[in-house]
Amino acid sequence: MDRATWPRLRDDLASTRRSAAAFLENLDAGRTTDGTEWIIRWIEIGDTHGLLGNAKGREGKVDEAAKAWLCALTAFEIAKRLAREQTVQGEAVSAKIGSAIETFGSLKQRIERVQIECYDQSAIQAHYLPPDDSSRAPAIICISAEDETSTTLLGRLLPAAAHRGMSVLAVTYDDVSDNRSGLSNEILSCCLDYLSTRDDVDATRIGVYGDGMAAALATDLAVSDSRVAAAVCDGGLWNWARTMAAVDWVAGVPNTPNDQAMAARRSRLLRRLKCPVLVVAGGRGIVSTSEAIELQNDCAAAKMDLQLIISPSAMTDAGEVENFVISDDQIFGWLEQRL
C-alpha cells in the first residue's frame, strides 16, 4: 500500500468506517510497507478521536463525544488486527479498546454491566447496550468467538450497532458454551428471558448473532427457542460436518453420498429453523464459502429464508486480514431490516 493511499483522519463515524473499509480492502501482500507503521497510524487516528471525544464531553456535547469514541474504536480495532503477531503492541491496543469502551459507556450510561440469572442458580456477566431511546426496540444477543471476551466483541461491534435503534447484549463464548447436551441452549434462553423482561426491549424482536464457533450455538438456540426472530449463524453446517465425520470414522471409509442426498440433509437441518437466517462465510468463521453457497442454493430451491454474505479478507505477508468493517455493517444492516 502506497503512502498516498494511507488512511486519513475523518470527522464522522460513517466517513471513518468508509476509510477503514477502503484501507482493509486495499491491503495486499505484493505492496506492503512496514506493518508497524500502519499500526502506529491507526493508533494515532484512534487517539485523536479520543481527544476529540474528551473535548466534546467536557463541552457537554454527549452525542458528538460518543460518535468520536466510536470512531476511535474502529481505528483501534484495525490496529489490533494488524498487531496480532506483535504481543506488546497488541496488548497496548487492547488496553486502549478497553479504555475507549469504558469512556463511551460512561456517556449517558450507554453501556450497562448486567448479570443473567440461570436456571441452575448460577449467573453469567454480560454487557448491555440500550437502544437510542427508551421505547421498546429490537435486541440482539451477540456471542463472542471462542478466543474473545464480550468486551473485545463489543469493542468491534459498537460502531456497527450503535444508532440503529436496537439494543445489544454481548456475552462471552466460554460463559455460554457447554458440551453437555442442551445446557448452552438453556443459558442462552436465560439471556432471552432477561431481555424479555426489560421495558426497553420488544420481546417479539430478539435476534441472535454468533461469531466464530459461536455461530453453531446461535443455530442451536434458534432451533430450540421459538422466541428467536432472526439468527446470524452457521445454518447447521458445523453439526452437519461433525456428523459426517463421525459416520466416516465409524464406517472406516469416507462417506461420499451423492449431491442430491447431501442437499436433502442440509435442507432437513434448515427446516428446523423457523426464523430468517443469515450465514456468514469465509474470514475467521467456521463456515467455508463453498459449503455456504451450496446451502444457499439448497434453500433457494426449497424457498427457505436464508441469506449469505462472504466476509472479505486480504492476504498479506502477515497473514489473512478480514475486512470486519464491511462484514459487521452488512450483518447489522440485515438484522435491522429483519427486526
Side-chain angles (χ1 to χ4, degrees):
M1 181 176 290
D2 300 328
R3 287 180 182 272
T5 64
W6 275 33
R8 293 177 173 82
L9 182 67
R10 306 295 182 182
D11 60 359
D12 65 86
L13 181 59
S15 295
T16 296
R17 289 185 70 77
R18 281 196 299 270
S19 178
F23 173 83
L24 293 170
E25 189 174 15
N26 286 299
L27 281 176
D28 66 77
R31 296 187 299 126
T32 56
T33 60
D34 181 3
T36 301
E37 294 182 73
W38 300 353
I39 298 167
I40 292 171
R41 178 59 180 149
W42 280 105
I43 290 175
E44 289 174 347
I45 292 174
D47 285 340
T48 303
H49 280 299
L51 291 172
L52 177 62
N54 285 334
K56 294 295 184 181
R58 288 192 295 270
E59 295 172 8
K61 299 177 180 178
V62 177
D63 289 339
E64 292 182 34
K67 290 177 183 178
W69 280 108
L70 292 175
C71 291
L73 281 169
T74 298
F76 290 146
E77 182 67 26
I78 291 182
K80 185 189 78 173
R81 287 170 181 253
L82 295 175
R84 60 183 179 179
E85 302 299 331
Q86 304 179 41
T87 304
V88 175
Q89 282 187 310
E91 290 177 352
V93 177
S94 294
K96 286 179 178 290
I97 290 173
S99 177
I101 292 173
E102 184 176 346
T103 304
F104 174 87
S106 67
L107 300 170
K108 283 187 176 179
Q109 297 180 331
R110 289 177 184 264
I111 299 176
E112 303 173 18
R113 287 285 292 178
V114 299
Q115 181 168 289
I116 310 296
E117 303 293 338
C118 301
Y119 299 137
D120 62 357
Q121 307 299 314
S122 63
I124 63 170
Q125 301 295 318
H127 289 90
Y128 180 72
L129 173 71
D132 297 333
D133 55 51
S134 59
S135 61
R136 289 185 175 273
I140 315 297
I141 300 171
C142 296
I143 315 166
S144 76
E146 62 278 10
D147 56 348
E148 292 185 320
T149 65
S150 60
T151 305
T152 305
L153 177 68
L154 198 61
R156 194 192 89 215
L157 296 185
L158 273 175
H163 311 304
R164 289 188 183 271
M166 60 178 64
S167 60
V168 171
L169 182 72
V171 297
T172 301
Y173 177 85
D174 286 347
D175 286 343
V176 300
S177 64
D178 197 294
N179 291 328
R180 287 173 290 177
S181 177
L183 192 56
S184 293
N185 289 339
E186 286 186 10
I187 297 171
L188 289 170
S189 286
C190 291
C191 294
L192 280 164
D193 293 342
Y194 169 78
L195 290 173
S196 298
T197 64
R198 289 192 64 108
D199 293 336
D200 55 2
V201 171
D202 182 344
T204 67
R205 295 186 291 164
I206 300 177
V208 62
Y209 164 38
D211 195 25
M213 287 292 295
L217 299 183
T219 299
D220 290 344
L221 178 65
V223 168
S224 66
D225 200 316
S226 61
R227 292 176 294 175
V228 176
V232 182
C233 60
D234 75 334
L237 286 174
W238 177 248
N239 286 334
W240 178 75
R242 289 194 300 178
T243 300
M244 296 292 288
V247 170
D248 290 351
W249 182 81
V250 171
V253 294
N255 182 31
T256 55
N258 59 43
D259 291 344
Q260 186 174 2
M262 293 175 71
R265 290 182 184 182
R266 284 191 293 264
S267 296
R268 281 199 298 273
L269 287 170
L270 261 297
R271 286 193 180 94
R272 299 172 62 197
L273 288 162
K274 304 303 182 183
C275 65
V277 172
L278 177 68
V279 172
V280 182
R284 299 189 314 123
I286 60 174
V287 179
S288 73
T289 300
S290 59
E291 287 176 329
I293 291 173
E294 290 176 353
L295 181 66
Q296 185 185 40
N297 291 337
D298 295 343
C299 291
K303 294 183 170 53
M304 295 180 185
D305 192 354
L306 179 141
Q307 288 184 244
L308 167 67
I309 66 169
I310 298 173
S311 182
S313 60
M315 290 303 301
T316 73
D317 49 8
E320 184 178 15
V321 179
E322 182 182 20
N323 196 328
F324 68 92
V325 179
I326 291 177
S327 295
D328 291 343
D329 285 345
Q330 288 179 324
I331 288 168
F332 278 90
W334 181 86
L335 285 166
E336 184 179 22
Q337 180 185 49
R338 290 296 183 168
L339 297 175

